[in-house]
Structures are given as C-alpha cells and as structure tokens.
C-alpha cells in the first residue's frame, strides 16, 4: 500500500490542515482507515490521533482509492470540530 498526498491546504482559522490523498493498493483490497491514517501521520510527522479520515473510497475497476483527511494541531480542536461518529470510526 502506497499513500500519496495530492493536495494540502492549511486552514489557520480552524487550526487544521485539509489533505487530499490517493492510495495505491495493488494486489489487495481497499485498505483499512486505521492503516491509511497511520501512513498519513508518519508522512506528516504528527501523532495518529490528530488525523481524521473523512472519506476513503475505491475507484471502480482500479486498485486505487482516494480520500480526504483533516490534520489537527491539538486534541481539543479535533474534539470541538469533528462529528462524534468520525471520532469513533477512527478508533
């Protein structure tokens, strides 16, 4: 599995970065959100718990998935802005 960040936009008002990414998962199923989150966190140099994956979807007929993630600077900002279902989905 290879994760490639295609776009990164800093949002200073909400104290987060908004990330668009692609995942090449040749020879395997769509990767789990936790695995993608770990890869993104290591690429960005932030703790895994500050990364929230909003969307992860495979492209029909291809071994590629695309997604949207948000990276926060603090746990308080993450809990204040993100919906509860996304926080529990990422556990």
């Amino acid at each position: 599995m290879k994760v490639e960040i295609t776009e990164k936009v800093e949002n200073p008002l909400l104290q987060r970065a908004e990330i668009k990414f692609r995942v090449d998962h040749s020879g395997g199923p769509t990767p789990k959100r936790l695995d993608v989150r770990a890869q993104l966190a290591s690429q960005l140099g932030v703790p895994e718990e500050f990364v929230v994956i909003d969307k992860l979807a495979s492209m029909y007929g291809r071994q590629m998935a695309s997604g949207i993630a948000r990276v926060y600077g603090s746990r308080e900002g993450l809990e204040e802005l993100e919906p509860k279902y996304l926080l529990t989905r990422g556990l």
Side-chain angles (χ1 to χ4, degrees):
M1 172 179 77
K2 180 182 174 204
V3 178
E4 175 189 354
I5 296 173
T6 57
E7 185 179 339
K8 180 179 179 183
V9 177
E10 294 292 331
N11 189 336
L13 181 64
L14 298 176
Q15 299 174 356
R16 69 183 184 194
E18 295 155 358
I19 309 288
K20 291 185 181 178
F21 62 91
R22 277 189 292 190
V23 180
D24 182 4
H25 55 93
S26 298
T30 303
K32 296 188 182 300
R33 287 175 177 265
L34 292 177
D35 298 336
V36 175
R37 183 174 88 162
Q39 289 264 340
L40 283 171
S42 68
Q43 284 185 13
L44 296 168
V46 297
E48 285 184 34
E49 58 267 8
F50 291 173
V51 178
V52 176
I53 296 184
D54 186 26
K55 179 181 176 184
L56 179 63
S58 284
M59 298 177 195
Y60 180 75
R62 299 182 68 194
Q63 295 292 308
M64 287 284 243
S66 61
I68 299 171
R70 291 184 286 275
V71 181
Y72 288 86
S74 68
R75 184 77 180 163
E76 294 79 30
L78 173 106
E79 290 174 350
E80 183 180 322
L81 294 171
E82 288 298 324
K84 298 293 184 223
Y85 76 93
L86 280 180
L87 296 177
T88 57
R89 184 187 289 175
L91 296 176

